[in-house]
Amino acid sequence: MPKCLLVDDDRDGREGYSEYLHAFGFEVEAHADAESALRSLVRVRPDIMLVDLQLPGLSGWDLIKAVRGFSAELPIVAFTACVFPDDRRRAEEAGCSAFLTKPLPPADVLAELNRLLKTKRAVQRATARPMLGHGSGGK
């Protein structure tokens, strides 16, 4: 079961996305702010993050920067209702794996998360070292 750390200050959106993702096999840890999400990051060890960029206090941008400070591989999906012309480029430069705009049907969010997780697994398989002694044919 993949773990998703979802951060969104909109309660209805947070609960709706959480329930939908859970129904489709995700373990979801949801937070209303970046500070509590950061505190739970090590404990949760998510496979993917879904981060609203417009959060109170520490912004989604700040959260992404903090996460990228210790993990370059964790897929992060930025999503926001306030889209400015440079936001998509800025999200890419910040290290986001995807950029989605709200309102967004939960099925579209699910599809993007699954796409990114599939890509992550493929990269992990491609870069994994073969185990010594297996498949070597030695006697």
Side-chain angles (χ1 to χ4, degrees):
M1 177 179 285
K3 295 181 199 172
C4 177
L5 184 62
L6 185 151
V7 189
D8 189 353
D9 61 320
D10 175 61
R11 191 182 95 209
D12 291 339
R14 187 175 60 249
E15 290 175 358
Y17 287 124
S18 292
E19 289 175 19
Y20 189 85
L21 293 173
H22 183 74
F24 283 91
F26 279 79
E27 182 179 322
V28 180
E29 171 98 12
H31 294 272
D33 60 77
E35 291 87 352
S36 65
L38 271 176
R39 286 191 300 270
S40 73
L41 197 59
V42 173
R43 176 183 51 79
V44 174
R45 297 178 48 109
D47 298 301
I48 196 161
M49 288 183 69
L50 184 60
V51 179
D52 182 8
L53 297 175
Q54 304 298 321
L55 296 170
L58 192 66
S59 73
W61 295 109
D62 295 328
L63 174 59
I64 292 163
K65 182 178 178 182
V67 170
R68 284 296 175 240
F70 64 89
S71 175
E73 297 82 29
L74 178 64
I76 300 174
V77 177
F79 74 133
T80 185
C82 301
V83 181
F84 297 99
D86 286 341
D87 282 349
R88 188 174 300 276
R89 177 194 50 76
R90 186 175 168 206
E92 185 177 297
E93 290 172 355
C96 292
S97 309
F99 183 87
L100 304 175
T101 56
K102 297 187 219 177
L104 190 65
D108 292 353
V109 173
L110 176 65
E112 187 63 18
L113 295 181
N114 282 328
R115 181 189 72 78
L116 290 169
L117 288 171
K118 183 177 178 181
T119 300
K120 178 183 175 184
R121 286 189 299 270
V123 168
Q124 287 172 335
R125 281 192 305 270
T127 59
R129 294 182 186 192
M131 292 176 54
L132 295 177
H134 291 275
S136 63
K139 294 182 182 184

